[in-house]
Amino acid sequence: MKQILIIDDDENLGDLLTQYLARYEMQAHVALAPSKGLEMIKKLKPDLLILDVMLPEKDGFEVCREIRAKSSIYGQLPILMLTAHAEVTDRIVGLELGADDYLPKPFEPRELVARIHNILRRSGDDASMRDIKPINGIDVDLSRREVKLDQVVLDLTTMEYELLILFMQYPNKTFTRDELMNRLRGIDAELFSRAVDTLVSRLRHKLGDTSKTPRFIKTVWGRGYTFIGEQR
Amino acid sequence: MKQILIIDDDENLGDLLTQYLARYEMQAHVALAPSKGLEMIKKLKPDLLILDVMLPEKDGFEVCREIRAKSSIYGQLPILMLTAHAEVTDRIVGLELGADDYLPKPFEPRELVARIHNILRRSGDDASMRDIKPINGIDVDLSRREVKLDQVVLDLTTMEYELLILFMQYPNKTFTRDELMNRLRGIDAELFSRAVDTLVSRLRHKLGDTSKTPRFIKTVWGRGYTFIGEQR
DNA sequence: CGTCGATGATAAGTATTTGTTTCATCTTAT
DNA sequence: ATAAGATGAAACAAATACTTATCATCGACG
């Protein structure tokens, strides 16, 4: 489980984030002050740091600079900064500070989760960054975001790609529509529409798959969908 | 048995829900006002809270916020909110409030039960999430919803799957047809229907079982059916 | 702004599952 | 052995869920 450290003096926000991230299999810890935070980094060895700009003692920029400066101590810890205003953002991400990403407050929680995943992926440490084994003729190159079916490159949309990745990470697992929606969009989505079905249908089509005699995606009637792994 | 607390000032709805949930092995309690509700949480330690948005004293959002804020008192109590209108829903589930799910009124009771199960499952507390021991060549992976018979994956329908799970949770227990009906469909089923027999027959067929010399499901004449555990 | 591609919603058509009926077969009690 | 009730399973009917074409909407991009 990913360990996330949050340095933010807003205790309430910290709690909420902790709770929210828990749903995505991330364990969050909160430090209310930078000094405490730096201490915790050494102990916890978190996988990612969420850093507020507005802090007591010294501001987030300072903290970020310090961490980057002392990389021998803190390593290449990925950092996501929370900015109060959008204007300053330019400087944050660039060389000057070395943060990996930023997010202006107020933000959508799912947006945060998306960014976290992004950063972890870039830093090559995310579970979703594990290589994906070729299955049944489908070959995925995560770093290039390229999918080949029987040596032919497929042109997939974002959703289609994400869905395929998700499926291939858990071959033979039956996903309910809720699960798929949640994993793809980060929150509990509306169930009233056939959005998932449509998406699956589109992906199937590009994979040259048929619902009747599926080569890849099997419909589990009354439950959801399953990506067929190697059969034995 | 799961304890569900309902905070809703509509006494009628509360009664109906209580009754309905009872069929699904959930004991519901109703609090008509938030203050009373918070009190009852402490006493009852419910497994889940159903929270109406429209309430006297203060609205459901307030209550939700309060519960989340005082997690030291209320713990990580899962919350399902009932919203009068669908528009606000985005904010409910997200970080801002920390509810686990929402359901716009009016809703189908079935839908409610489904959501409750979802939430309880996510919070890792659902009985249906328990592992099932392999018995006599049948291996069930609940998280994947996968059933293997002698290493071969079986293709079961929802009802067949549910029936098998139920059987395997209580090997050697003789279920009457009523019991099976009630457990599988959650309602008092008509006693003159042979639906259970048909279902058992179909499951047997997929298991390669025969009623005469049963390997798995034994008919207890005049009573019901028994799933055969390990024999010694 | 207007276009284009991606995604969401809707609905008609189709497929699958599940319930019911029926009848052959089986069990048990006379 | 026979009758009465119970069960098994096939065939049919009803309920339910899925597929996909089509249209609407949204956001990115020029």
Side-chain angles (χ1 to χ4, degrees):
Chain A
M1 186 184 249
K2 293 296 166 198
Q3 303 295 317
I4 311 283
L5 178 63
I6 301 166
I7 304 185
D8 195 325
D9 61 333
D10 181 351
E11 195 161 359
N12 193 34
L13 179 69
D15 285 350
L16 286 170
L17 277 181
T18 304
Q19 224 173 299
Y20 191 80
L21 291 178
R23 298 190 196 156
Y24 295 88
E25 311 204 301
M26 299 187 243
Q27 168 137 38
H29 309 263
V30 182
L32 297 176
S35 55
K36 184 75 181 168
L38 295 175
E39 243 177 75
M40 289 177 74
I41 294 176
K42 295 178 203 168
K43 278 190 211 144
L44 275 172
K45 301 276 179 196
D47 298 288
L48 184 139
L49 173 65
I50 295 175
L51 181 57
D52 196 1
V53 170
M54 294 277 287
L55 286 171
E57 300 177 25
K58 48 190 163 189
D59 70 20
F61 299 116
E62 271 302 315
V63 178
C64 185
R65 237 180 244 115
E66 185 169 342
I67 290 173
R68 286 293 175 248
K70 299 180 181 171
S71 64
S72 58
I73 300 176
Y74 298 110
Q76 284 303 64
L77 176 61
I79 299 176
L80 171 63
M81 298 205 69
L82 301 181
T83 66
H85 308 292
E87 300 91 50
V88 242
T89 54
D90 268 356
R91 335 188 54 168
I92 298 170
V93 178
L95 246 188
E96 190 171 345
L97 272 169
D100 296 88
D101 204 349
Y102 67 91
L103 195 53
K105 285 184 179 179
F107 53 83
E108 285 290 322
R110 59 177 161 181
E111 175 76 3
L112 177 69
V113 171
R115 303 248 181 168
I116 290 176
H117 277 141
N118 257 326
I119 296 176
L120 289 176
R121 188 171 308 125
R122 283 206 303 258
S123 68
D125 194 30
D126 193 12
S128 60
M129 199 48 188
R130 283 180 312 211
D131 279 349
I132 291 187
K133 273 187 271 187
I135 297 177
N136 197 3
I138 300 185
D139 207 333
V140 178
D141 184 338
L142 285 171
S143 61
R144 298 176 149 214
R145 199 196 167 282
E146 189 180 83
V147 177
K148 282 187 194 166
L149 168 60
D150 299 331
Q151 318 304 326
V152 180
V153 177
L154 293 185
D155 188 19
L156 301 182
T157 69
T158 308
M159 286 282 114
E160 290 158 3
Y161 177 78
E162 297 289 340
L163 176 64
L164 179 61
I165 298 303
L166 182 53
F167 270 141
M168 290 186 72
Q169 279 175 346
Y170 302 94
N172 292 324
K173 173 178 163 66
T174 298
F175 290 93
T176 64
R177 288 171 176 70
D178 299 28
E179 283 180 301
L180 291 174
M181 260 315 184
N182 286 321
R183 295 295 292 264
L184 294 177
R185 311 214 302 180
I187 59 160
D188 296 79
E190 322 252 336
L191 306 172
F192 314 120
S193 90
R194 302 270 90 77
V196 174
D197 304 54
T198 306
L199 179 58
V200 166
S201 172
R202 284 169 178 149
L203 178 57
R204 268 179 177 155
H205 184 250
K206 289 197 180 172
L207 291 174
D209 208 9
T210 70
S211 52
K212 214 173 168 186
T213 2
R215 175 176 169 196
F216 302 111
I217 302 173
K218 190 177 70 176
T219 301
V220 181
W221 208 92
R223 205 48 45 157
Y225 297 98
T226 299
F227 188 86
I228 305 168
E230 304 297 352
Q231 47 259 43
R232 251 171 302 150
Chain B
M1 187 184 250
K2 294 295 169 200
Q3 303 294 318
I4 312 283
L5 178 62
I6 302 167
I7 304 184
D8 194 323
D9 61 333
D10 181 347
E11 196 160 1
N12 192 33
L13 179 69
D15 284 350
L16 284 173
L17 279 180
T18 304
Q19 220 173 312
Y20 191 82
L21 292 177
R23 299 185 192 160
Y24 293 88
E25 310 205 308
M26 299 186 243
Q27 168 135 36
H29 310 262
V30 182
L32 297 177
S35 54
K36 184 73 181 169
L38 294 176
E39 234 174 74
M40 288 177 74
I41 294 176
K42 294 179 203 165
K43 278 191 210 143
L44 274 173
K45 300 275 178 195
D47 298 288
L48 184 139
L49 173 64
I50 296 176
L51 181 56
D52 193 12
V53 170
M54 294 278 287
L55 287 171
E57 301 177 23
K58 48 190 161 189
D59 69 20
F61 299 117
E62 272 305 317
V63 179
C64 184
R65 236 178 246 119
E66 185 169 344
I67 291 173
R68 286 295 178 244
K70 297 181 182 168
S71 62
S72 57
I73 300 176
Y74 299 109
Q76 288 299 65
L77 176 61
I79 298 177
L80 172 62
M81 296 205 72
L82 302 181
T83 67
H85 309 292
E87 305 91 60
V88 241
T89 52
D90 262 1
R91 334 191 57 165
I92 298 171
V93 176
L95 234 196
E96 195 166 332
L97 274 167
D100 294 271
D101 203 354
Y102 68 91
L103 193 54
K105 285 184 177 180
F107 53 83
E108 287 289 322
R110 267 182 70 177
E111 177 76 4
L112 177 68
V113 171
R115 303 245 180 171
I116 289 176
H117 277 142
N118 255 326
I119 295 176
L120 289 177
R121 188 170 310 122
R122 281 205 305 255
S123 65
D125 195 28
D126 198 353
S128 65
M129 230 24 195
R130 284 182 310 214
D131 278 352
I132 289 186
K133 273 188 281 189
I135 297 176
N136 197 3
I138 301 185
D139 207 334
V140 178
D141 184 337
L142 286 172
S143 66
R144 295 186 158 193
R145 197 194 171 279
E146 188 182 76
V147 178
K148 282 186 190 168
L149 168 60
D150 300 330
Q151 317 304 325
V152 180
V153 176
L154 291 186
D155 200 9
L156 300 182
T157 70
T158 306
M159 286 284 116
E160 290 158 3
Y161 178 79
E162 299 284 340
L163 175 64
L164 179 62
I165 298 302
L166 182 53
F167 271 142
M168 291 185 73
Q169 278 176 344
Y170 303 94
N172 295 321
K173 169 181 163 72
T174 300
F175 289 94
T176 66
R177 287 173 176 70
D178 300 26
E179 282 181 299
L180 291 174
M181 256 317 182
N182 287 323
R183 295 295 291 267
L184 292 177
R185 310 215 297 178
I187 54 167
D188 304 275
E190 301 103 89
L191 306 175
F192 37 85
S193 157
R194 306 276 313 281
V196 173
D197 302 58
T198 307
L199 180 57
V200 167
S201 169
R202 283 170 178 150
L203 179 57
R204 269 179 176 154
H205 184 251
K206 289 198 180 171
L207 291 174
D209 208 10
T210 69
S211 51
K212 213 173 167 187
T213 19
R215 176 178 169 194
F216 303 111
I217 302 173
K218 193 175 65 179
T219 300
V220 181
W221 209 91
R223 291 275 178 284
Y225 298 98
T226 299
F227 188 86
I228 304 168
E230 303 296 356
Q231 51 259 54
R232 247 172 309 138

